[in-house]
């Protein structure tokens, strides 16, 4: 007679927070290696924002009014903060599709058998997406410079403020990837995660100050746009870049855009990370 024994994973010793950070970095490394082996994902991710830069700059630039000016140069400098913000938020769809794909293939079940922190799988994935987003943002900034975008066009700025602007953009992108993670855990297929990740992003990004001056909107629509978390980050980056901004507004997020951007992003991370980790635990229980 033979006995069948079951191996039960034992949690690694040490500080729980330290283990969680270590496990998250390991998962992030795994995802980055995987992304590097599929370069077309990065390439296609670059094509869309570059197309937006070219189309909005050369097709719509001469007909848009910014602070009463129809100068194509003014609109170009006004536009780029919106394009940057849209690019980092659209990474949400990729994050959700990646997590949904891992769930569909049973990879998450294999992670469960390892002595690792439960939240590390999601944190690692979102960190890897953040690195990819930073690379995309860097390439897009180079393209923006080539088409004529310049910082300091409406005032003084410095390297610290410019880096701070990109930091706010990446923080917003990271916050939105947690929304994507929740969507990826909720739907059944990667295709549904991609669709679900984009369907709400278009109204969020276009019902904002990203591409037009909200001063030209009807009052009720302007209020929605000015209290949009996406708009706060766009306005904050324009302030830090010293680029043309929207008409004066009495809405609190537009008067204190940097603080509003930080608060919105941190709040989104806190809420949706909690929901995503809870969903992950219930889905794999």
């Amino acid at each position: 007679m033979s006995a069948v024994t079951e191996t039960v994973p034992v949690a690694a010793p040490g500080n729980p927070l330290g283990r969680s950070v270590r496990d998250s970095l390991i998962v992030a490394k795994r995802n980055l290696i995987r992304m590097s082996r599929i370069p077309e994902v990065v390439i296609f991710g670059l094509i869309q924002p570059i197309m937006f830069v070219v189309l909005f700059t050369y097709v719509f630039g001469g007909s848009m009014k910014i602070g009463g000016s129809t100068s194509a140069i003014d609109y170009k400098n006004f536009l780029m903060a919106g394009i940057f913000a849209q690019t980092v938020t659209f990474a949400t769809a990729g994050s959700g599709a990646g997590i949904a794909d891992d769930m569909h293939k049973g990879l998450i079940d294999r992670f469960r058998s390892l002595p690792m922190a439960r939240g590390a799988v999601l944190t690692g994935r979102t960190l890897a997406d953040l690195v990819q987003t930073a690379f995309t943002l860097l390439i897009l900034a180079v393209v923006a410079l080539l088409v004529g975008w310049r910082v300091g066009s409406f005032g003084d700025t410095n390297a610290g403020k410019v880096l701070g602007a990109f930091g706010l953009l990446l923080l917003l992108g990271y916050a939105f990837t947690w929304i994507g993670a929740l969507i990826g855990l909720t739907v059944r297929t990667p295709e549904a995660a991609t669709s679900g990740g984009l369907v709400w992003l278009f109204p969020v990004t276009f019902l904002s100050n990203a591409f037009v001056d909200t001063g030209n909107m009807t009052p009720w629509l302007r209020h929605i746009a000015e209290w949009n978390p996406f708009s706060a980050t766009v306005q904050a980056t324009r302030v830090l870049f010293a680029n043309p901004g929207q008409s004066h507004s009495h809405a609190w997020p537009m008067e204190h855009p940097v603080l509003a951007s930080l608060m919105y992003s941190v709040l989104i991370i806190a809420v949706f990370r909690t929901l995503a980790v809870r969903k992950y635990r219930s889905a794999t229980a």
Side-chain angles (χ1 to χ4, degrees), residues 5 22 33 46 87 114-115 124 135 147 149 186 188 215 221 224:
T5 59
R22 181 204 62 189
I33 293 173
L46 285 169
T87 300
L114 300 175
F135 175 74
V147 300
W149 170 66
T186 303
R188 296 183 178 181
L221 198 60
I224 295 174

Side-chain angles (χ1 to χ4, degrees), residues 211-234:
F211 307 111
V212 297
D213 186 346
T214 59
N216 299 324
M217 297 180 178
T218 57
W220 67 270
L221 198 60
R222 178 177 184 176
H223 290 316
I224 295 174
E226 290 175 342
W227 283 89
N228 183 347
F230 182 82
S231 295
T233 298
V234 172

Side-chain angles (χ1 to χ4, degrees), residues 38-282:
I38 315 175
E40 56 267 27
V41 174
V42 179
I43 294 172
F44 288 136
L46 285 169
I47 292 176
Q48 179 177 300
I50 291 175
M51 288 178 58
F52 270 107
V53 170
V54 175
L55 289 173
F56 275 87
T57 299
Y58 295 107
V59 177
F60 303 112
S63 59
M64 295 290 189
K65 285 187 178 182
I66 303 300
S69 171
T70 57
S71 167
I73 296 177
D74 286 346
Y75 182 68
K76 191 181 301 180
N77 289 321
F78 172 88
L79 171 70
M80 288 317 305
I83 295 291
F84 289 150
Q86 184 191 55
T87 300
V88 301
T89 54
F90 269 47
T92 300
S95 178
I99 291 174
D101 187 49
D102 287 344
M103 292 284 290
H104 183 69
K105 292 178 177 178
L107 182 64
I108 300 298
D109 291 332
R110 293 196 288 273
F111 278 136
R112 287 181 59 204
S113 66
L114 300 175
M116 62 187 302
R118 287 292 181 92
V121 174
L122 300 180
T123 303
R125 174 73 206 199
T126 56
L127 288 175
D129 289 333
L130 179 63
V131 173
Q132 181 180 348
T133 301
F135 175 74
T136 303
L137 196 58
L138 175 62
I139 300 300
L140 187 59
V142 173
V143 173
L145 290 171
L146 291 176
V147 300
W149 170 66
R150 295 293 183 270
V151 299
S153 58
F154 256 56
D156 295 329
T157 188
N158 53 53
K161 290 182 178 180
V162 171
L163 291 175
F166 283 114
L168 288 176
L169 289 167
L170 291 175
L171 182 63
L172 178 70
Y174 182 69
F176 273 45
T177 56
W178 281 107
I179 302 178
L182 180 61
I183 293 173
L185 290 168
T186 303
V187 300
R188 296 183 178 181
T189 64
E191 293 79 10
T194 302
S195 300
L198 290 175
V199 70
W200 63 275
L201 274 175
F202 279 101
V204 167
T205 55
F206 281 93
L207 187 55
S208 70
N209 61 356
F211 307 111
V212 297
D213 186 346
T214 59
N216 299 324
M217 297 180 178
T218 57
W220 67 270
L221 198 60
R222 178 177 184 176
H223 290 316
I224 295 174
E226 290 175 342
W227 283 89
N228 183 347
F230 182 82
S231 295
T233 298
V234 172
Q235 182 67 5
T237 55
R238 287 185 181 134
V239 169
L240 295 174
F241 286 149
N243 282 161
Q246 66 176 56
S247 302
H248 180 69
S249 168
H250 295 293
W252 186 86
M254 297 297 100
E255 292 184 334
H256 309 276
V258 175
L259 179 59
S261 176
L262 284 170
M263 291 176 62
Y264 275 136
S265 295
V266 171
L267 180 62
I268 291 171
I269 292 172
V271 172
F272 283 93
R273 187 184 189 280
T274 301
L275 294 175
V277 172
R278 183 178 300 172
K279 181 68 177 178
Y280 171 78
R281 287 174 175 169
S282 64

